[in-house]
Amino acid sequence: MNPQTQILLLPRNYESTDEYYLYDNTVYTINKVLKQAGINSAYLDDKPIQFLEQRAVEWFLPILYISYNVLIENKEVYAAALMAIKEYIIKSSPFTRGEENSVKLKVVVEKSEDKTTKSIEYNGPIDGLSDLKDSILRIANE
């Protein structure tokens, strides 16, 4: 991971040996939203990409990877990322009430310098993204 990257966007099959990465089709949009919010995000590497097209009312987001160094150096970057994503989804769905906007998100957090990770999966209303901030910090400190 580039030292300037704050959040890495992971494909669904990041742990496999496939010859391509399978990203949710929202990955380009989420990358742009994060960059507009001043957050340096990047894709895993240069392996070919395929997209998973999911048609539903809910938003399927790419997996967010937050490194231990980012947690230590800038504890609020993930909170800002979640807020930027939340605001984008709300603006993109002006005729839907907040509680009707459903989102699926997985966050992988590097817990320590020895590179162990733990993940959180969220599936619920868009307003609940704000609550993930505390969960991320909690698992990072376990």
Side-chain angles (χ1 to χ4, degrees):
M1 183 160 81
N2 180 328
Q4 296 167 334
T5 300
Q6 295 173 307
I7 292 185
L8 194 60
L9 303 172
L10 296 179
R12 287 182 174 257
N13 60 342
Y14 70 95
E15 295 178 308
S16 79
T17 57
D18 293 341
E19 58 191 45
Y20 62 89
Y21 287 135
L22 184 62
Y23 278 98
D24 287 294
N25 65 344
T26 58
V27 70
Y28 286 134
T29 301
I30 297 304
N31 189 36
K32 185 176 179 181
V33 166
L34 294 175
K35 289 187 184 299
Q36 287 175 343
I39 299 166
N40 294 323
S41 57
Y43 306 109
L44 188 54
D45 61 32
D46 293 331
K47 193 184 277 191
I49 294 175
Q50 292 187 0
F51 295 101
L52 181 62
E53 182 72 34
Q54 298 184 51
R55 296 174 190 243
V57 176
E58 58 197 347
W59 287 76
F60 295 91
L61 302 175
I63 300 169
L64 305 181
Y65 179 88
I66 304 170
S67 75
Y68 178 75
N69 289 336
V70 168
L71 285 172
I72 296 303
E73 294 171 8
N74 188 354
K75 292 184 182 204
E76 292 302 314
V77 72
Y78 56 89
L82 293 172
M83 184 58 72
I85 292 168
K86 177 181 171 181
E87 288 175 3
Y88 173 78
I89 293 173
I90 290 170
K91 286 178 187 174
S92 296
S93 307
F95 302 110
T96 307
R97 292 190 306 256
E99 64 272 6
E100 293 175 346
N101 276 327
S102 182
V103 63
K104 284 190 176 197
L105 173 66
K106 181 176 181 179
V107 179
V108 177
V109 180
E110 189 177 68
K111 290 176 51 172
S112 63
E113 291 177 334
D114 68 358
K115 308 293 183 203
T116 59
T117 61
K118 189 164 185 180
S119 64
I120 300 172
E121 291 191 37
Y122 178 76
N123 184 6
I126 187 66
D127 291 336
L129 280 181
S130 304
D131 300 333
L132 278 179
K133 180 179 91 163
D134 297 331
S135 299
I136 291 168
L137 194 55
R138 182 179 39 78
I139 68 166
N141 291 322
E142 287 180 342

